Amino acid sequence: MKRYAVSASKFVDVYKDGSKVCLKDTNYSAEAIFPAHRWASLVSYLDEADEHFLNKDTSYSRHYGGAWFIFVDGETVDLRRCYMDNSGESRRSFHGIVLNSCEWRELKQLAQRLSTEHSKLACATVHYHEDFSRWLKCAECIPFLFEH
């Protein structure tokens, strides 16, 4: 495993075979784990999320795979696993990581470096389906359909 610092307490670990990326917060024992295809999906939304972050938008959210979402909350970016509550509303869970502006900038720069240094991450593609029926049956694409 290779470790990259995002801040004094937050790190990105890339598995030796490049199959997963793990963002860890050592202060809070929090983490967000990304299979290579989910990492590729997150990276594909970095510029879009950054535009909302720079505008201090508080309403941006984007699903990037499984039950994971990116939220821009004004001064922070939250990479968070969500769940569907009993009323059918999507809610943020305790699983995930909040990044301040310095950490967010560092993660964006690090994403480019990881693609250069890890061929499996560079070759990873966003999860995709050839037809609508397969998309409808995919827990990666529609995670809450399969929770109840």
Side-chain angles (χ1 to χ4, degrees), residues 5 12 15 77 86:
V12 170
Y15 285 51
V77 175
N86 291 334

Side-chain angles (χ1 to χ4, degrees), residues 31-50:
E31 65 182 14
I33 299 175
F34 309 89
H37 68 274
R38 193 173 298 152
W39 175 256
S41 182
L42 174 65
V43 168
S44 75
Y45 293 121
L46 290 179
D47 289 338
E48 180 181 304
D50 194 47

Side-chain angles (χ1 to χ4, degrees), residues 105-120:
R105 282 192 302 272
E106 187 60 33
L107 182 67
K108 287 186 336 171
Q109 291 175 354
L110 192 55
Q112 294 173 343
R113 183 175 170 196
L114 295 181
S115 292
T116 304
E117 294 183 15
H118 300 276
S119 60
K120 189 158 188 173

Side-chain angles (χ1 to χ4, degrees), residues 83-95:
Y83 67 96
M84 186 80 64
D85 69 12
N86 291 334
S87 69
E89 292 291 320
S90 175
R91 301 279 182 213
R92 296 183 200 191
S93 75
F94 294 108
H95 304 286

Side-chain angles (χ1 to χ4, degrees), residues 39-73:
W39 175 256
S41 182
L42 174 65
V43 168
S44 75
Y45 293 121
L46 290 179
D47 289 338
E48 180 181 304
D50 194 47
E51 183 178 319
H52 291 273
F53 180 75
L54 293 173
N55 291 327
K56 304 217 183 305
D57 189 353
T58 58
S59 62
Y60 176 81
S61 67
R62 174 70 71 177
H63 174 245
Y64 63 87
W68 289 86
F69 289 76
I70 183 170
F71 297 94
V72 173
D73 293 325

